Amino acid sequence: MIQIYHNPRCSKSRSGLKYLEEKGIQPEVIQYLDTPLSSKDLTQILQKLNMRPLEIIRKGEAIFKEEFKGKDLSDEQWIEAMVQHPRLIERPIIINGNRAVIARPTEAIDEIL
């Protein structure tokens, strides 16, 4: 089952979901702002993305600029920051089995289909 970590207010996230649906894929939609992720969930997602926590932080978010900009945090501290402030998580994240991508651009989804 393909999953999409989705924020319906985000145009890129909506585009990712539409892209999957146009390919005939009905993914499991996880609205991560309503259903917060645990540190274990985020760690597993990062492993599938083959990325470090800082690489999926949305640095343009107000919460980042106000509380985290310029800080040198460990991977575990960045994960905890994303657990506490899920808006920091880049979106959309598409997962297919043990592989995942951040669908920016949307066509990046093809890498894991």
Side-chain angles (χ1 to χ4, degrees), residues 37-40 42-43 46-47 51-55 57 68 72-85 88:
L37 300 169
S38 69
S39 58
K40 181 180 176 183
L42 269 172
T43 300
L46 287 161
Q47 289 171 344
M51 297 175 112
R52 297 192 56 205
L54 190 56
E55 294 176 279
I57 295 280
F68 300 103
D72 185 23
L73 302 180
S74 68
D75 285 354
E76 293 76 19
Q77 289 170 315
W78 281 120
I79 289 170
E80 187 56 33
M82 287 185 279
V83 167
Q84 296 300 316
H85 307 283
L88 288 172

Side-chain angles (χ1 to χ4, degrees), residues 3-112:
Q3 299 172 309
I4 179 170
Y5 285 84
H6 179 59
N7 176 352
R9 296 187 70 196
C10 172
S11 64
K12 295 290 187 188
S13 196
R14 290 192 308 269
S15 294
L17 180 58
K18 181 179 177 186
Y19 189 80
L20 288 169
E21 290 171 343
E22 287 173 349
K23 290 187 170 282
I25 298 167
Q26 292 299 317
E28 176 186 357
V29 178
I30 301 162
Q31 293 190 27
Y32 65 95
L33 295 179
D34 297 334
T35 308
L37 300 169
S38 69
S39 58
K40 181 180 176 183
D41 294 332
L42 269 172
T43 300
Q44 290 173 345
I45 291 168
L46 287 161
Q47 289 171 344
K48 291 175 185 185
L49 286 167
N50 195 29
M51 297 175 112
R52 297 192 56 205
L54 190 56
E55 294 176 279
I56 69 165
I57 295 280
R58 293 177 53 84
K59 296 169 186 75
E61 287 291 325
I63 190 73
F64 176 82
K65 292 175 184 176
E66 293 164 8
E67 293 193 31
F68 300 103
K69 188 175 182 178
K71 292 190 177 178
D72 185 23
L73 302 180
S74 68
D75 285 354
E76 293 76 19
Q77 289 170 315
W78 281 120
I79 289 170
E80 187 56 33
M82 287 185 279
V83 167
Q84 296 300 316
H85 307 283
R87 290 195 181 280
L88 288 172
I89 302 169
E90 189 61 85
R91 58 192 177 252
I93 297 173
I94 315 296
I95 297 178
N96 187 4
N98 288 323
R99 300 173 61 206
V101 294
I102 295 174
R104 288 175 173 261
T106 304
E107 294 76 20
I109 296 170
D110 290 334
E111 295 174 23
I112 62 167

